[in-house]
């Protein structure tokens, strides 16, 4: 089955988020924890999406809410890394928007 354009953009956003986290925390002394907590979840969701698992969209939306919260807290508390935090906020909002499209269409679309 060919992936939809929405799934391609979602996959790109998940990959960009994983790359952002990898770059943002590259000098962290707890690199294993960074990889486990920040980098691997978007990559696992990307893999699930590539395998056609619909539940990946749901979990991407749920985790995007946490990513958004982390970005807001980081932008507020760590001005020196605010650019990374704002990129995280934008990517998480993009993910929420992408996974919400079918529900919004079903709710507000023509009957």
């Amino acid at each position: 089955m060919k992936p939809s354009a929405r799934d391609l953009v979602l996959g790109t956003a998940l990959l960009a988020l994983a790359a952002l986290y990898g770059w943002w925390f590259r000098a962290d002394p707890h690199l294993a924890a960074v990889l486990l907590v920040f980098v691997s979840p978007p990559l696992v969701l990307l893999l699930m999406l590539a395998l056609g698992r619909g539940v990946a969209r749901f979990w991407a939306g749920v985790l995007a809410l946490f990513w958004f919260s982390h970005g807001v807290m980081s932008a507020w508390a760590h001005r020196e890394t605010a650019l990374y935090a704002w990129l995280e906020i934008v990517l998480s909002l993009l993910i929420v928007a992408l996974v919400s499209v079918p529900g919004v269409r079903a709710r507000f679309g023509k009957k």
Side-chain angles (χ1 to χ4, degrees), residues 21-54:
Y21 285 138
W23 183 257
W24 185 354
F25 299 115
R26 67 190 178 279
D28 194 285
H30 306 288
L31 187 58
V34 166
L35 293 175
L36 182 66
V37 174
F38 288 103
V39 177
S40 65
L43 293 178
V44 168
L45 290 170
L46 176 60
L47 177 63
M48 290 173 61
L49 192 66
L51 293 174
R53 308 290 173 121

Side-chain angles (χ1 to χ4, degrees), residues 38-89:
F38 288 103
V39 177
S40 65
L43 293 178
V44 168
L45 290 170
L46 176 60
L47 177 63
M48 290 173 61
L49 192 66
L51 293 174
R53 308 290 173 121
V55 72
R57 290 180 205 91
F58 169 77
W59 283 110
V62 170
L63 289 177
L65 299 174
F66 291 106
W67 297 327
F68 174 80
S69 299
H70 179 265
V72 169
M73 288 185 297
S74 293
W76 181 264
H78 303 286
R79 302 284 185 193
E80 68 279 3
T81 59
L83 176 62
Y84 298 129
W86 277 103
L87 288 172
E88 179 183 24
I89 291 167

